[in-house]
Amino acid sequence: MKIAFVDLKAQYLSIKDEIDAAVADVIDHTAFIGGEQVRLFEEEFAAFCDVKHALGVGNGTDALELALSACGIGRGDEVITVANTFAATAEAIVSQGAHPVLVDSDPRTYNIDVGKIEECITERTRAIMPVHLYGQPADMDPILELTRRHNLIVIEDAAQAHGARYKGRVAGTMGDVACFSFYPGKNLGAYGDAGAVVTNSEEIASKVALLRNHGASEKYMHEVVGRNSRLDGIQAAVLRVKLRHLRAWNAARRERADWYNELLADLDVVTPYEPEWSEAVYHLYVIRVAQRDLVRQRLQEVGIATGIHYPIPLHLQPAFRYLGYKESDFETTEAYAGEILSLPMYAELTREQVEGIVGELERVLDGLR
């Protein structure tokens, strides 16, 4: 049995003719930077997200940095986020000269523990950056209520949540601005690095549009100091094709999550928790299991690829040691870091493959008793 963690080749083959034609069109028109494909993708992704503006950028990390900058977050400001996330979340805050303030994760959803946010708010707090981790929306209403009372900005890190919904609202539409990554393995993935900033704010959209293009309002007219973070034409063309399939792919991921939940019910693992207000899109299907590293090794030996998202919490990373946190500061995040295991998850995964994965996992667990 050989089962990839993500099978991008299978996805490509399912839409090969559409992709090949779209890429050929960009090359034929030599529209490599900006152009019609980028404009159309921005319009279509904004409609998908139910927002007024979507601005393509170079990658998801740039999206976070540009959003923070457009919101005026800078030196000396504090931004509250979660300890259980990829490094880019905090990295983007630091890049603006701001200070990440970390909060432990919720024991059931792995997202930010909303009950622990308010105690972290100080006079220097400017924003809260919830992360919709693994494709599961964070509990946004309590966060939005806090930001209204304390006059804070909400920047959603939706890098793993393309199409996820919270109480019927699309992830990325509830805060002041949201950021998406189109890294190839994402639910909506490019064929290289790409990202987007989405917002209903004209002011934020205008600032991001300037900042991503060297601060230029027109060629050689630089209003502010910006950067080069433009979505290229080929990536936009690929994303336009994939966007047409995204709802069906997300539905397929949810179906496969149901298969896993059913087949894993009697095993000694903790399956993902999905609150009644959530419609997760399962960018990752993450279980918790004892002796995780040994379980992963045994699965690898029989050809089943898995992942760990993420093995070292932010506050224990060498890069963020200067923040002053120590081991045991975030007990839930630390406890789960040694147990979480991401199983293969993609729309093309078959029922037979899921049954095979669970069967091998059961065999491994039986052998460890």
Side-chain angles (χ1 to χ4, degrees), residues 12 36 42 52 72 127 251 313 353:
Y12 167 65
E36 187 74 353
E42 290 177 335
K52 294 178 181 177
Q353 287 175 311

Side-chain angles (χ1 to χ4, degrees), residues 68-197:
L68 286 157
S69 183
C71 290
I73 305 298
R75 190 163 302 281
D77 293 334
E78 293 179 350
V79 178
I80 295 172
T81 193
V82 66
N84 181 34
T85 184
F86 182 56
T89 306
E91 189 177 60
I93 297 167
V94 173
S95 76
Q96 302 307 301
H99 187 84
V101 176
L102 303 181
V103 174
D104 206 356
S105 50
D106 182 275
R108 297 185 299 175
T109 67
Y110 312 146
N111 282 318
I112 193 167
D113 187 335
V114 295
K116 296 180 178 178
I117 295 176
E118 189 161 26
E119 65 192 54
C120 296
I121 296 174
T122 73
E123 61 182 14
R124 295 171 58 192
T125 305
R126 289 287 311 285
I128 301 175
M129 185 182 283
V131 181
H132 304 309
L133 197 68
Y134 307 153
Q136 170 92 270
D139 190 1
M140 290 300 296
D141 279 350
I143 294 172
L144 295 171
E145 173 59 26
L146 275 176
T147 57
R148 281 191 290 268
R149 286 197 283 110
H150 293 276
N151 193 29
L152 303 175
I153 297 163
V154 179
I155 301 171
E156 295 177 67
D157 183 340
Q160 300 181 2
H162 315 71
R165 288 181 177 269
Y166 172 83
K167 299 183 179 180
R169 292 169 283 176
V170 180
T173 67
M174 292 166 277
D176 297 277
V177 61
C179 308
F180 288 88
S181 165
F182 303 127
Y183 184 78
K186 296 293 169 63
N187 292 35
L188 180 62
Y191 285 172
D193 274 321
V197 176

Side-chain angles (χ1 to χ4, degrees), residues 103-104 116 315-316 324-332 334:
V103 174
D104 206 356
K116 296 180 178 178
H315 66 292
L316 301 180
Y325 296 109
K326 63 184 186 303
E327 195 168 347
S328 79
D329 277 349
F330 305 111
E331 293 182 356
T332 300
E334 291 177 32

